[in-house]
Amino acid sequence: MTKPPAPGDSPSDREIVSTRVFTQSREKLFAAFSDPARVAQWWGPNGFTNKIQEFDLRPGGVWRLTMIAPTGAEYHNLSRFLEVIPSERIVYVHEEPVHRFQMTMTFAAHGTGTTLTWRMVFETADEVAKIGKFIVAANEENFDRLAAHLAKTA
């Protein structure tokens, strides 16, 4: 879990929130995340590929993946799921590398589609100030890749 706010921090200082409305149902969006073979196809910024070593989507379950940059650099990631409510909410802690944060993904009905919100809470406001622009752009690319994946699998 993330630590409590430091003096002068507020949760909003430590948060990055990304939201997009998709035309697909909550169930279809959840399915795109709950199947590791599908996650490997769309996860991450543009140009990245993924190898998923472990994906146990349940409270206490582990998610290990290697993200491979267009340059060939490999980024090993470890996360642990805290909460999973199918088609509604997923909460996990990204433990490594580098940036530790808690991610809450919510799937909210929006007409016939879904509003997907990613709320990332980091350890400190200083960390968000350093990496916020990169993360916001990367999340948008990730949403773009998810939308393209969903269009192909509709």
Side-chain angles (χ1 to χ4, degrees):
M1 292 259 210
T2 59
K3 66 183 182 180
D9 281 357
S10 70
S12 62
D13 293 338
R14 295 185 299 128
E15 291 179 337
I16 295 174
V17 179
S18 300
T19 301
R20 176 142 338 152
V21 176
F22 290 85
T23 58
Q24 293 79 9
S25 69
R26 296 181 324 152
E27 293 76 17
K28 286 188 178 183
L29 257 70
F30 187 84
F33 187 82
S34 60
D35 178 350
R38 292 182 67 187
V39 173
Q41 295 174 32
W42 63 266
W43 189 258
N46 290 338
F48 277 72
T49 58
N50 300 286
K51 293 179 190 172
I52 297 180
Q53 291 83 26
E54 187 174 357
F55 190 86
D56 186 4
L57 186 62
R58 64 179 176 84
V62 171
W63 179 18
R64 292 180 198 276
L65 82 147
T66 303
M67 295 177 68
I68 304 154
T71 62
E74 294 190 357
Y75 301 93
H76 302 277
N77 290 262
L78 171 64
S79 298
R80 294 188 191 281
F81 293 105
L82 302 176
E83 182 180 359
V84 178
I85 302 171
S87 302
E88 291 182 24
R89 180 177 165 100
I90 298 170
V91 180
Y92 66 86
V93 174
H94 181 268
E95 297 180 347
E96 58 183 64
V98 187
H99 306 294
R100 183 177 166 85
F101 60 88
Q102 181 171 306
M103 167 76 91
T104 300
M105 306 168 93
T106 56
F107 304 78
H110 186 99
T112 58
T114 303
T115 299
L116 178 59
T117 301
W118 290 358
R119 181 174 308 277
M120 304 167 77
V121 180
F122 290 82
E123 296 283 322
T124 66
D126 185 53
E127 185 172 10
V128 172
K130 289 179 188 172
I131 64 169
K133 279 188 175 183
F134 166 77
I135 295 294
V136 168
N139 285 354
E140 288 302 316
E141 290 177 8
N142 212 336
F143 283 165
D144 291 344
R145 293 182 70 190
L146 173 57
H149 171 77
L150 290 165
K152 284 190 259 179
T153 60

